[in-house]
Amino acid sequence: MPRLRQVSRAEADEKVALPLYKMLFGDRDPVAEPGTATGTPGDWWTVFANSPATLQHAAQGFAYYQSKDRKLEPALRELGQTWAGWATGSQFVFSQHCKSLRALRVSEEKINAIPHWQTVNCFDPRERLVLAYADRLVCHAGRVPDALFTDLKAEFSDEEILELTYVTCMYQMHAVMSRALRTEFDDRDDPITEVPAPEGFEATDFFNSGRTKD
C-alpha cells in the first residue's frame, strides 16, 4: 500500500481530481476498485489527489511533454524518461515508459537494451547522445562534461536540449517520489537488508577469522 492516504472518489476535488479520475477509471472509485488500462493499480493518482494543486501541477507537466508543440522527437524524449526510471530504480517509471516506447514503434531490441545501452550497438548516434546526457543528469546530478555538451549542441537545437533536460529531470523526480511514497509498481520492500550471520557466530569471530593459531 502507498505510504500516504488514498483519496476516494467521494472525497476527490471536483475541479482537478474528478475529471482525471473519470478519464482514467470511468465511473469506478479508484480506491475501492483500483486498476488502469496499463495494468497499474492507479494509486499514484489517488495519492496525489491529497493535494489538488500538486496533482494539477503534475498533470500540467504531462500535458507539456506530450504536446505537439514540443520540438524534441517523442522517441528521444522517452529514452530519457525511461533511463530516468531505470537509473533511479523506479519500476513504475521504467515500466510505463517502456510501454510508451513501444507505442512509438521503438524496437524491442532497443527497449531491452536500455539498462545496458553503453555496451550495445543498436542505438544510433543521436539516441546514444540522449542516453549519455540523461545518464549525466540522473546519475551524476547534472555534471555534464563540456565535450558531451558540445556533441549535443551539434545535433540538437537549444530548445530541444532544454526540453530534454526538463523532461528527464522531471521524470527523475517522479521516479524518486514514487519510490519514497511506494506508489504503483514501487510498492516494494527495499532489497538491501542485513543477511544474518550463521548460528553461533560472534562479532569477535569476524576479526579473528583470518588469523592462524601459533
Side-chain angles (χ1 to χ4, degrees):
M1 294 289 291
R3 284 171 162 162
L4 297 183
R5 183 180 73 96
Q6 295 188 64
V7 177
S8 70
R9 189 182 194 89
E11 302 171 282
D13 177 82
E14 292 184 1
K15 292 183 178 180
V16 177
L18 280 183
L20 292 169
Y21 280 17
K22 178 70 174 178
M23 178 180 69
L24 290 159
F25 307 107
D27 295 325
R28 285 182 289 121
D29 177 354
V31 178
E33 299 180 71
T36 69
T38 63
T40 69
D43 54 35
W44 184 95
W45 301 91
T46 54
V47 165
F48 267 63
N50 277 288
S51 169
T54 304
L55 177 58
Q56 183 178 37
H57 190 272
Q60 288 170 342
F62 303 150
Y64 161 83
Y65 86 75
Q66 293 175 339
S67 170
K68 293 181 180 179
D69 293 334
R70 299 286 71 77
K71 304 302 181 187
L72 186 68
E73 294 174 38
L76 294 178
R77 175 202 72 218
E78 290 290 339
L79 281 177
Q81 291 168 288
T82 309
W83 177 253
W86 170 263
T88 307
S90 170
Q91 188 160 305
F92 175 48
V93 171
F94 177 70
S95 297
Q96 294 302 90
H97 290 277
C98 284
K99 297 178 179 71
S100 295
L101 285 169
R102 289 190 182 91
L104 292 167
R105 305 278 194 267
V106 174
S107 71
E108 288 296 317
E109 180 185 17
K110 289 181 178 180
I111 294 171
N112 293 333
I114 287 173
H116 57 107
W117 66 268
Q118 302 94 331
T119 64
V120 297
N121 298 317
C122 56
F123 295 105
D124 66 34
R126 283 166 61 87
E127 292 167 338
R128 290 188 67 82
L129 276 174
V130 165
L131 287 164
Y133 184 54
D135 179 71
R136 284 288 165 171
L137 292 173
V138 175
C139 300
H140 299 269
R143 190 180 179 195
V144 183
D146 287 343
L148 173 56
F149 211 89
T150 297
D151 289 343
L152 265 179
K153 293 202 67 168
E155 287 290 335
F156 300 99
S157 70
D158 284 10
E159 188 171 358
E160 288 174 317
I161 294 171
L162 183 59
E163 289 179 1
L164 175 60
T165 306
Y166 184 78
V167 173
T168 301
C169 290
M170 178 169 67
Y171 269 81
Q172 181 191 21
M173 177 195 73
H174 281 302
V176 168
M177 290 183 70
S178 183
R179 291 189 65 193
L181 301 179
R182 292 186 66 150
T183 58
E184 307 291 1
F185 301 141
D186 291 321
D187 183 17
R188 301 178 297 153
D189 292 338
D190 196 312
I192 308 302
T193 59
E194 181 186 2
V195 178
E199 186 177 351
F201 173 83
E202 295 183 6
T204 54
D205 295 339
F206 180 82
F207 296 101
N208 295 324
S209 61
R211 298 180 183 177
T212 58
K213 294 183 179 180
D214 294 335

